[in-house]
Amino acid sequence: DAGVIQSPRHEVTEMGQEVTLRCKPISGHDYLFWYRQTMMRGLELLIYFNNNVPIDDSGMPEDRFSAKMPNASFSTLKIQPSEPRDSAVYFCASSQEGFLYEQYFGPGTRLTVT
Amino acid sequence: AQKVTQAQTEISVVEKEDVTLDCVYETRDTTYYLFWYKQPPSGELVFLIRRNSFDEQNEISGRYSWNFQKSTSSFNFTITASQVVDSAVYFCALRGSQGNLIFGKGTKLSVKP
């Protein structure tokens, strides 16, 4: 299996621009998670989906952030408008059905907002 | 509330030394899962081990071993005969009934030749 795929790997944008991060989970995995990693706050869960349905988005920092999962093989995380404090590494992860299974992470997208 | 504490921010050892990374967790759930992940300098997060709350048996995998003690709410990770390639940030994580993972702040391990 190819593992979790994220694109782009690096994104540099100017404040105020819209940013879209993309994720393809491992085939057959029913859970998809979006995390953000910063030096100050560590790894934070933003939102997760089960069978394409958002289950918990309490970690989404503001209305500027939105996430969708239109089908089992694709998810997006959008920031509009972006701000410098959004600069971080964004990870997507997926896991099989059930809480006992480990999450497999993508390589991450390093976002820099200037 | 659920919480994971990795008190050691950074550890530096010389190759071939043994090193233990500490992890203490808090949860009110009776069923939960503990994980260790490795984040090498390349940035990806690599799954190392999962342990459920009903299984306190220690586990060994090559040079890696894990000691789970419910009595002290700890899930410590030991690397025996460390190698330079073990240099990474190691995260302990807790997964409770809500399904999400709660990560500790991580311990940065530097193994010097």
Side-chain angles (χ1 to χ4, degrees), chain A residues 4 6-10 89-92 105-110, chain B residues 43-44:
Chain A
V4 176
Q6 290 186 248
S7 64
R9 294 294 306 278
H10 301 274
V89 180
Y90 291 81
F91 287 101
C92 175
F105 283 75
T109 295
R110 182 173 295 277
Chain B
E44 74 273 24

Side-chain angles (χ1 to χ4, degrees), chain B residues 6-33:
Chain B
Q6 294 180 256
Q8 305 148 308
T9 306
E10 291 192 44
I11 300 176
S12 182
V13 299
V14 177
E15 208 170 19
K16 297 185 183 178
E17 284 186 27
D18 298 347
V19 58
T20 296
L21 310 181
D22 298 332
C23 173
V24 174
Y25 62 92
E26 296 176 28
T27 181
R28 293 180 182 172
D29 294 330
T30 53
T31 301
Y32 53 90
Y33 298 86

Side-chain angles (χ1 to χ4, degrees), chain B residues 56-107:
Chain B
E56 289 194 69
Q57 196 169 25
N58 292 331
E59 182 155 340
I60 297 175
S61 176
R63 296 183 297 106
Y64 295 172
S65 63
W66 290 269
N67 182 278
F68 175 33
Q69 292 194 339
K70 286 182 75 172
S71 60
T72 56
S73 296
S74 65
F75 186 42
N76 296 336
F77 173 30
T78 298
I79 302 174
T80 303
S82 60
Q83 300 176 0
V84 173
V85 293
D86 296 327
S87 296
V89 180
Y90 291 86
F91 291 94
C92 179
L94 167 69
R95 191 172 193 182
S97 58
Q98 300 300 315
N100 56 308
L101 271 180
I102 297 170
F103 284 87
K105 295 293 186 185
T107 297

Side-chain angles (χ1 to χ4, degrees), chain A residues 37 48 100-103, chain B residues 37 39 50 95 98 100:
Chain A
Q37 185 178 33
Y48 75 95
L100 70 158
Y101 290 102
E102 59 272 18
Q103 296 177 20
Chain B
Y37 282 85
Q39 188 174 39
R50 176 189 73 234
R95 191 172 193 182
Q98 300 300 315
N100 56 308

Side-chain angles (χ1 to χ4, degrees), chain A:
Chain A
D1 201 317
V4 176
I5 299 172
Q6 290 186 248
S7 64
R9 294 294 306 278
H10 301 274
E11 177 80 37
V12 180
T13 191
E14 292 183 350
M15 184 173 66
Q17 296 298 307
E18 177 180 296
V19 175
T20 299
L21 311 181
R22 297 173 177 79
C23 175
K24 176 178 168 54
I26 293 173
S27 177
H29 282 191
D30 298 305
Y31 282 79
L32 184 139
F33 305 80
W34 282 101
Y35 290 88
R36 178 172 66 176
Q37 185 178 33
T38 61
M39 288 294 294
M40 290 296 293
R41 301 174 69 90
L43 272 160
E44 303 173 278
L45 175 69
L46 300 177
I47 185 172
Y48 75 95
F49 296 82
N50 179 213
N51 292 321
N52 312 338
V53 176
I55 303 300
D56 183 355
D57 65 354
S58 59
M60 297 284 263
E62 303 171 30
D63 291 344
R64 299 184 297 105
F65 285 70
S66 62
K68 293 182 180 179
M69 192 165 185
N71 57 61
S73 59
F74 184 65
S75 177
T76 59
L77 177 67
K78 186 177 293 186
I79 308 173
Q80 166 64 20
S82 58
E83 297 182 3
R85 59 193 168 121
D86 301 331
S87 298
V89 180
Y90 291 81
F91 287 101
C92 175
S94 69
S95 74
Q96 291 178 278
E97 179 68 32
F99 297 144
L100 70 158
Y101 290 102
E102 59 272 18
Q103 296 177 20
Y104 290 90
F105 283 75
T109 295
R110 182 173 295 277
L111 173 65
T112 302
V113 183
T114 60

